[in-house]
């Protein structure tokens, strides 16, 4: 396998790209799975000091047959279905609402979620929960209920998503304070508004986020199983 870089990519970036965890993992997996020849890093994007999105072209074959050449690497992600329980009231789910440029939507409802940069999947989930919701409780990894791990768009992207559920019992006044709370990291240009929705209203959403809908059905199945 030969790794080369497009001329416009700064040379100081080359080592950082090669050492980025999601790039290393893809190269290791692709080398084991395919006859891998020349791999060209066509473009890359930094998020602060971290290498983020990477677009590459690869000469790859399986059993002597060439396979599609392009891949968009962004790394793995995690999302949490946060279910709020109150006595004598229907369960609610805590969602994030934020602008999403790739789907050209100014207000996209989804789960608290983020990329797995370092550490474990569980630690990434708890970090994103804190950053995106501002919930003052400090749940542990043991409080997370594993739902599934899936690939989202294997025809073009490397991303694998791990889904968790988290059940929380909050006083009504504390739950009410979450509605329309503004959160997110300014340094990452996040503009998040929290929304509360009855749990069983999720299937009726117009164009629901895929991970939200899947998490809902897996959560409900786990309750009746």
């Amino acid at each position: 396998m030969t790794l080369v870089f497009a001329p416009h990519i700064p040379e100081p970036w080359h080592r950082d790209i090669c050492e980025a965890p999601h790039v290393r993992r893809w190269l290791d997996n692709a080398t084991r799975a395919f006859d891998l020849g020349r791999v060209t890093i066509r473009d890359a994007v930094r998020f602060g000091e971290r290498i983020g999105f990477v677009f590459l072209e690869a000469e790859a074959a399986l059993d002597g047959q060439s396979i599609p050449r392009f891949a968009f690497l962004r790394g793995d992600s995690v999302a949490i279905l946060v279910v709020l329980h109150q006595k004598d009231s229907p369960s609610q789910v805590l969602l994030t609402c934020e602008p999403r440029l790739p789907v050209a939507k100014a207000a996209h409802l989804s789960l608290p979620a983020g990329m797995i940069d370092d550490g474990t999947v569980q630690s990434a989930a708890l970090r994103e929960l804190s950053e995106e919701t501002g919930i003052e409780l400090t749940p542990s990894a043991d409080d997370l209920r594993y739902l599934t791990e899936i690939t989202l768009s294997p025809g073009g992207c490397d991303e694998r998503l791990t889904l968790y559920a988290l059940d929380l019992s909050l006083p009504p006044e504390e739950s009410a304070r979450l509605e329309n709370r503004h959160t997110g990291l300014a340094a990452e240009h996040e503009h998040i508004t929290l929304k509360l929705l009855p749990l069983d209203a999720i299937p009726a959403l117009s164009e629901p986020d895929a991970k939200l809908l899947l998490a809902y059905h897996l959560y409900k199945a786990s309750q009746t199983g």
Side-chain angles (χ1 to χ4, degrees), residues 33-35 60-67:
F34 307 112
D35 297 321
L62 181 64
D63 298 330
Q65 300 294 317
S66 295
I67 63 172

Side-chain angles (χ1 to χ4, degrees), residues 95-166:
L95 303 178
T96 61
C97 182
E98 57 186 312
R100 288 299 193 187
L101 182 64
V103 292
K105 292 184 70 173
H108 181 74
L109 283 174
S110 187
L111 301 173
M115 304 308 296
I116 302 170
D117 302 324
D118 298 299
T120 66
V121 179
Q122 293 92 340
S123 65
L126 295 173
R127 182 193 67 237
E128 293 298 333
L129 177 68
S130 174
E131 291 177 357
E132 295 201 350
T133 70
I135 289 179
E136 296 175 358
L137 299 176
T138 54
S140 69
D142 292 337
D143 297 318
L144 297 174
R145 187 196 309 179
Y146 174 82
L147 295 177
T148 194
E149 179 183 292
I150 57 171
T151 54
L152 292 173
S153 185
C157 182
D158 68 322
E159 183 180 4
R160 294 176 302 176
L161 168 69
T162 301
L163 283 174
Y164 290 104
L166 176 65

Side-chain angles (χ1 to χ4, degrees), residues 3 19 30 49 52 78 93 117 131 145 183 191:
L3 185 64
E19 293 180 351
E49 295 298 314
V78 63
V93 62
D117 302 324
E131 291 177 357
R145 187 196 309 179
T183 65
H191 307 283

Side-chain angles (χ1 to χ4, degrees), residues 33-103:
F34 307 112
D35 297 321
L36 202 62
R38 181 185 178 98
V39 175
T40 302
I41 305 298
R42 299 280 297 268
D43 210 346
V45 175
R46 278 190 182 273
F47 299 143
E49 295 298 314
R50 178 172 66 88
I51 294 293
F53 300 154
V54 173
F55 180 59
L56 62 81
E57 179 181 1
E59 296 174 355
L62 181 64
D63 298 330
Q65 300 294 317
S66 295
I67 63 172
R69 304 166 62 90
F70 298 100
F72 171 58
L73 309 186
R74 58 166 291 159
D76 294 340
S77 61
V78 63
I80 309 178
L81 179 72
V82 182
V83 183
L84 306 179
H85 302 281
Q86 296 175 13
K87 186 178 180 180
D88 301 325
S89 296
S91 298
Q92 294 180 300
V93 62
L94 181 63
L95 303 178
T96 61
C97 182
E98 57 186 312
R100 288 299 193 187
L101 182 64
V103 292

